[in-house]
Amino acid sequence: MRAIVPVAAVLAAALALAGCATPHLDIAEPTDRQKAEAEAALKFTAVGPPRNTAAGDMVPTVGRVIRRVRASSYAVCTELRLPDERCKLMSTAKVVVYTRKTDINAFADGDNNVGVYGGLVSNMGSDAEIAGVLAHEFAHVMYGHVEKKTTNALIGGLLLGVLAGAASAAAGSQDQKPVRDLTKLGWQIGSTAYSPEMEIEADRTAVYILHRAGFPLTALQSALLRMNRAEADRSSGTFSGTVGFLQTHPSDDRRHAHLISAIEDVRAGRPLKPAKKK
């Protein structure tokens, strides 16, 4: 007889994971007006053509903006009074451009470095949009989001693995497949625990980084709208690549509403608000 872990136990494990990603910022949900503006932007905002940057020009293109993004990220980090070792990473993190990767994607890795795929550089419409994406990834490094997701993944695998093992032993089953499957499920739950909130935190911080660096506040929003169009094209079969940057992220309308909120806060002179320590 195959042992089945009770749904209540799985839910309890998932809820336990929710406490493993402590936010750095106090972020209010967008207003109804901001949500409506986000929906309208997604539906009606025109997006210009991509620059189709050649492979040989990709590294210089990223190089044109990265110094400003680094300096601005460091300034934002110190203003938030984050640990010195996190702020120093703004200067030391490597930025690698994978010119042969055609996916529209960028990421922060477990070594606190940033990777940018050639597909993203090629498909953006301006240096400012690339700066917006880089600012987002530097915010992930600033907050240690990758390390948190890795820790959550390990905890998730352990929690559900233990639950599955206990249920299997209680049922007298020798079948280890349910244990392996639920351990894997726990890893997957943990690796994405609070991922949308981490992305919103990185987006908001990116707007402040862009402001300090002298780029348009709307640069990340423009980049995301461009990616939304590419994803729609992929779904319709007119674009064969993938838009990895949008995966495991908040829903499009919620994300854009939060960006509108962040842009308005910067324009009103409101600083980033650190979360209260528990």
PDB file of all heavy atoms in Angstrom, residues 47-60:
ATOM      1  N   VAL A  47       4.994  49.500 -27.566  1.00  0.00           N
ATOM      2  CA  VAL A  47       6.396  49.141 -27.345  1.00  0.00           C
ATOM      3  C   VAL A  47       7.127  49.245 -28.672  1.00  0.00           C
ATOM      4  O   VAL A  47       6.695  48.664 -29.673  1.00  0.00           O
ATOM      5  CB  VAL A  47       6.528  47.715 -26.779  1.00  0.00           C
ATOM      6  CG1 VAL A  47       7.987  47.305 -26.681  1.00  0.00           C
ATOM      7  CG2 VAL A  47       5.865  47.630 -25.413  1.00  0.00           C
ATOM      8  N   GLY A  48       8.208  49.994 -28.687  1.00  0.00           N
ATOM      9  CA  GLY A  48       8.977  50.157 -29.913  1.00  0.00           C
ATOM     10  C   GLY A  48       9.725  48.891 -30.284  1.00  0.00           C
ATOM     11  O   GLY A  48       9.762  47.919 -29.526  1.00  0.00           O
ATOM     12  N   PRO A  49      10.349  48.881 -31.443  1.00  0.00           N
ATOM     13  CA  PRO A  49      11.076  47.685 -31.898  1.00  0.00           C
ATOM     14  C   PRO A  49      12.334  47.458 -31.060  1.00  0.00           C
ATOM     15  O   PRO A  49      12.917  48.400 -30.516  1.00  0.00           O
ATOM     16  CB  PRO A  49      11.426  48.030 -33.342  1.00  0.00           C
ATOM     17  CG  PRO A  49      11.488  49.526 -33.359  1.00  0.00           C
ATOM     18  CD  PRO A  49      10.430  49.989 -32.414  1.00  0.00           C
ATOM     19  N   PRO A  50      12.759  46.215 -30.952  1.00  0.00           N
ATOM     20  CA  PRO A  50      14.020  45.932 -30.261  1.00  0.00           C
ATOM     21  C   PRO A  50      15.200  46.440 -31.077  1.00  0.00           C
ATOM     22  O   PRO A  50      15.087  46.662 -32.289  1.00  0.00           O
ATOM     23  CB  PRO A  50      14.027  44.407 -30.168  1.00  0.00           C
ATOM     24  CG  PRO A  50      13.201  43.954 -31.326  1.00  0.00           C
ATOM     25  CD  PRO A  50      12.131  44.995 -31.474  1.00  0.00           C
ATOM     26  N   ARG A  51      16.333  46.615 -30.392  1.00  0.00           N
ATOM     27  CA  ARG A  51      17.504  47.123 -31.122  1.00  0.00           C
ATOM     28  C   ARG A  51      18.227  46.033 -31.899  1.00  0.00           C
ATOM     29  O   ARG A  51      19.060  46.310 -32.756  1.00  0.00           O
ATOM     30  CB  ARG A  51      18.475  47.775 -30.129  1.00  0.00           C
ATOM     31  CG  ARG A  51      17.937  49.057 -29.539  1.00  0.00           C
ATOM     32  CD  ARG A  51      19.000  49.851 -28.821  1.00  0.00           C
ATOM     33  NE  ARG A  51      19.556  49.155 -27.667  1.00  0.00           N
ATOM     34  CZ  ARG A  51      20.388  49.714 -26.790  1.00  0.00           C
ATOM     35  NH1 ARG A  51      20.766  50.974 -26.943  1.00  0.00           N
ATOM     36  NH2 ARG A  51      20.847  49.035 -25.759  1.00  0.00           N
ATOM     37  N   ASN A  52      17.932  44.760 -31.583  1.00  0.00           N
ATOM     38  CA  ASN A  52      18.598  43.638 -32.255  1.00  0.00           C
ATOM     39  C   ASN A  52      20.119  43.791 -32.194  1.00  0.00           C
ATOM     40  O   ASN A  52      20.826  43.705 -33.206  1.00  0.00           O
ATOM     41  CB  ASN A  52      18.135  43.531 -33.709  1.00  0.00           C
ATOM     42  CG  ASN A  52      16.667  43.164 -33.812  1.00  0.00           C
ATOM     43  OD1 ASN A  52      16.175  42.322 -33.066  1.00  0.00           O
ATOM     44  ND2 ASN A  52      15.948  43.806 -34.715  1.00  0.00           N
ATOM     45  N   THR A  53      20.619  44.007 -30.995  1.00  0.00           N
ATOM     46  CA  THR A  53      22.057  44.203 -30.781  1.00  0.00           C
ATOM     47  C   THR A  53      22.842  42.979 -31.236  1.00  0.00           C
ATOM     48  O   THR A  53      22.515  41.847 -30.875  1.00  0.00           O
ATOM     49  CB  THR A  53      22.336  44.459 -29.285  1.00  0.00           C
ATOM     50  OG1 THR A  53      21.526  45.566 -28.857  1.00  0.00           O
ATOM     51  CG2 THR A  53      23.801  44.763 -29.032  1.00  0.00           C
ATOM     52  N   ALA A  54      23.857  43.205 -32.021  1.00  0.00           N
ATOM     53  CA  ALA A  54      24.697  42.109 -32.508  1.00  0.00           C
ATOM     54  C   ALA A  54      25.515  41.527 -31.361  1.00  0.00           C
ATOM     55  O   ALA A  54      25.825  42.213 -30.379  1.00  0.00           O
ATOM     56  CB  ALA A  54      25.625  42.611 -33.604  1.00  0.00           C
ATOM     57  N   ALA A  55      25.894  40.240 -31.493  1.00  0.00           N
ATOM     58  CA  ALA A  55      26.621  39.555 -30.423  1.00  0.00           C
ATOM     59  C   ALA A  55      27.894  40.296 -30.034  1.00  0.00           C
ATOM     60  O   ALA A  55      28.235  40.403 -28.850  1.00  0.00           O
ATOM     61  CB  ALA A  55      26.943  38.119 -30.851  1.00  0.00           C
ATOM     62  N   GLY A  56      28.607  40.839 -31.023  1.00  0.00           N
ATOM     63  CA  GLY A  56      29.857  41.531 -30.739  1.00  0.00           C
ATOM     64  C   GLY A  56      29.680  42.842 -29.992  1.00  0.00           C
ATOM     65  O   GLY A  56      30.641  43.377 -29.422  1.00  0.00           O
ATOM     66  N   ASP A  57      28.456  43.375 -29.986  1.00  0.00           N
ATOM     67  CA  ASP A  57      28.190  44.650 -29.316  1.00  0.00           C
ATOM     68  C   ASP A  57      27.540  44.474 -27.942  1.00  0.00           C
ATOM     69  O   ASP A  57      27.301  45.459 -27.238  1.00  0.00           O
ATOM     70  CB  ASP A  57      27.266  45.513 -30.183  1.00  0.00           C
ATOM     71  CG  ASP A  57      27.920  45.932 -31.484  1.00  0.00           C
ATOM     72  OD1 ASP A  57      29.160  46.104 -31.490  1.00  0.00           O
ATOM     73  OD2 ASP A  57      27.202  46.058 -32.491  1.00  0.00           O
ATOM     74  N   MET A  58      27.247  43.229 -27.561  1.00  0.00           N
ATOM     75  CA  MET A  58      26.492  43.009 -26.322  1.00  0.00           C
ATOM     76  C   MET A  58      27.287  43.372 -25.069  1.00  0.00           C
ATOM     77  O   MET A  58      26.773  44.048 -24.176  1.00  0.00           O
ATOM     78  CB  MET A  58      26.019  41.555 -26.254  1.00  0.00           C
ATOM     79  CG  MET A  58      24.932  41.223 -27.251  1.00  0.00           C
ATOM     80  SD  MET A  58      24.456  39.480 -27.184  1.00  0.00           S
ATOM     81  CE  MET A  58      23.233  39.430 -28.507  1.00  0.00           C
ATOM     82  N   VAL A  59      28.533  42.916 -24.982  1.00  0.00           N
ATOM     83  CA  VAL A  59      29.349  43.214 -23.797  1.00  0.00           C
ATOM     84  C   VAL A  59      29.583  44.714 -23.660  1.00  0.00           C
ATOM     85  O   VAL A  59      29.407  45.276 -22.568  1.00  0.00           O
ATOM     86  CB  VAL A  59      30.679  42.430 -23.840  1.00  0.00           C
ATOM     87  CG1 VAL A  59      31.608  42.879 -22.714  1.00  0.00           C
ATOM     88  CG2 VAL A  59      30.406  40.926 -23.727  1.00  0.00           C
ATOM     89  N   PRO A  60      29.963  45.438 -24.739  1.00  0.00           N
ATOM     90  CA  PRO A  60      30.095  46.895 -24.615  1.00  0.00           C
ATOM     91  C   PRO A  60      28.796  47.591 -24.229  1.00  0.00           C
ATOM     92  O   PRO A  60      28.810  48.587 -23.491  1.00  0.00           O
ATOM     93  CB  PRO A  60      30.560  47.333 -26.008  1.00  0.00           C
ATOM     94  CG  PRO A  60      31.201  46.118 -26.592  1.00  0.00           C
ATOM     95  CD  PRO A  60      30.417  44.959 -26.063  1.00  0.00           C
TER      96      PRO A  60
END
